[in-house]
Amino acid sequence: MINSNCYREGVYDPLQDLPGYALRRASAVQMAVFGAQLAPLGLTVIEASILTVVKVNPGASLSAIGRMLDVQRANMTPLVARLESKGLVERTIINGRSFGLRLSPSGGELQSRLAAAIEAHERSVAEAVPPEHRAALLPILHALWRAV
Amino acid sequence: MINSNCYREGVYDPLQDLPGYALRRASAVQMAVFGAQLAPLGLTVIEASILTVVKVNPGASLSAIGRMLDVQRANMTPLVARLESKGLVERTIINGRSFGLRLSPSGGELQSRLAAAIEAHERSVAEAVPPEHRAALLPILHALWRAV
DNA sequence: TATTGTTATACTCTATAACTATA
DNA sequence: TATAGTTATAGAGTATAACAATA
């Protein structure tokens, strides 16, 4: 039996039922939507994730945050510089070779709006899943995240 | 009750249980693994997806393939040029303003190895999901893909 | 010696606008 | 007029290697 969605313009999609491909497309759609919702805040998705981690873990080092988010040190540097230049985060001294990050006052204000955006987005993600499958959503994603 | 995985190096991860974030991380892991498996074939993930679509739909146009894969025309051009320069695909004439793609002989040979790599990867993705949740995997991903 | 932060660099993917040629 | 393909360009994310300073 042929799924009618398999054809677009007479072209058959051999990838749509492959879980890895569907995972990539689902993630891409979700990232695009979330990115658009963050645009008014002047933030990218990664910047938003850094701000959220910093808010919850004031004083955490650049390296520790990067490891948590799977962003390499070398790539964290310009990201943090961007957040600093926007006046959203400040450095705190840990020791002579590393520093921690904390939200600045304006970073704290922005974080409130950011938290609302995240909550709205995450709700829409969860609600996009048929109710009977919602309980499986996080277990599946965590399993894929940790295991593939 | 605190999930022991919430802490790494004393830093708490406020994002890990957000479905959208977990979706992004799961996709990223999967893409990295699959990309590494494709490297010996000299292909990127997107190139592999184009080859697979072309194999199943010989003669499909650049634009139609791009729409299916959600790759814009302007970005399809250099991708197709890359595949052409590797001698993997050939152009067929559709009309004066568009052309179709088909696998070249060497593209066909590579596609066999590619199909095996895809099958192995997709199996590992499915098997990474706990058995009781496997039936929900595709319905969830399709719902997120089409709906968020 | 291992780790931190930095710099430099390169590659892939993505997004937009503008252009031509054709349907 | 709308579509196909192209070109140019810019931005975002990612990856590696190397370096100085510090633990």
Side-chain angles (χ1 to χ4, degrees):
Chain A
M1 170 171 147
I2 293 178
N3 179 337
S4 64
N5 285 333
C6 285
Y7 282 92
R8 284 176 61 180
E9 317 174 46
V11 184
Y12 174 74
D13 187 348
L15 303 175
Q16 68 175 1
D17 288 335
L18 302 181
Y21 181 76
L23 177 61
R24 174 158 78 91
R25 293 296 298 270
S27 176
V29 167
Q30 179 253 152
M31 287 283 286
V33 170
F34 188 41
Q37 290 169 336
L38 291 180
L41 305 186
L43 295 173
T44 67
V45 172
I46 295 189
E47 288 171 339
S49 65
I50 294 175
L51 282 185
T52 303
V53 170
V54 168
K55 150 100 173 198
V56 175
N57 302 280
S61 74
L62 178 151
S63 286
I65 296 168
R67 278 189 292 271
M68 169 169 292
L69 298 175
D70 198 30
V71 175
Q72 302 189 40
R73 281 194 334 273
N75 297 325
M76 282 295 291
T77 295
L79 285 170
V80 169
R82 240 154 69 190
L83 293 172
E84 262 190 302
S85 73
K86 294 180 191 172
L88 299 174
V89 300
E90 295 167 347
R91 298 186 179 220
T92 65
I93 294 179
I94 292 180
N95 59 37
R97 76 177 177 194
S98 63
F99 59 85
L101 290 174
R102 67 175 183 197
L103 296 186
S104 69
S106 75
E109 292 175 27
L110 185 63
Q111 224 287 333
S112 305
R113 292 207 286 154
L114 171 57
I118 291 175
E119 192 190 329
H121 174 66
E122 294 294 345
R123 193 179 328 117
S124 83
V125 169
E127 289 177 355
V129 174
E132 70 270 23
H133 289 134
R134 270 177 211 160
L137 177 58
L138 266 184
I140 285 176
L141 294 178
H142 281 163
L144 291 169
W145 177 358
R146 316 286 186 183
V148 168
Chain B
M1 171 170 147
I2 294 177
N3 178 339
S4 63
N5 285 332
C6 285
Y7 282 92
R8 286 175 60 179
E9 316 173 48
V11 183
Y12 173 74
D13 186 348
L15 302 175
Q16 66 176 1
D17 288 335
L18 303 180
Y21 181 76
L23 177 60
R24 173 157 78 92
R25 293 296 298 270
S27 176
V29 168
Q30 179 252 154
M31 288 282 287
V33 170
F34 188 41
Q37 290 168 335
L38 290 181
L41 306 186
L43 295 173
T44 67
V45 173
I46 295 189
E47 289 172 339
S49 65
I50 294 175
L51 282 185
T52 302
V53 170
V54 168
K55 150 100 173 196
V56 175
N57 301 279
S61 74
L62 177 151
S63 285
I65 296 167
R67 278 190 292 272
M68 170 170 291
L69 298 174
D70 198 29
V71 176
Q72 303 187 41
R73 283 195 329 274
N75 296 325
M76 283 295 291
T77 296
L79 286 170
V80 169
R82 239 154 70 189
L83 293 172
E84 264 190 300
S85 73
K86 294 179 191 173
L88 300 175
V89 300
E90 297 167 346
R91 299 187 179 219
T92 64
I93 294 178
I94 292 181
N95 60 37
R97 78 177 177 195
S98 65
F99 59 85
L101 290 174
R102 66 174 184 197
L103 296 186
S104 70
S106 76
E109 291 174 28
L110 185 62
Q111 223 288 332
S112 305
R113 293 206 285 155
L114 172 56
I118 290 175
E119 192 191 329
H121 174 65
E122 293 294 345
R123 194 178 328 117
S124 84
V125 169
E127 287 177 355
V129 174
E132 69 271 23
H133 289 134
R134 270 177 212 160
L137 177 58
L138 267 184
I140 285 176
L141 294 178
H142 282 162
L144 292 169
W145 178 358
R146 316 285 185 182
V148 170

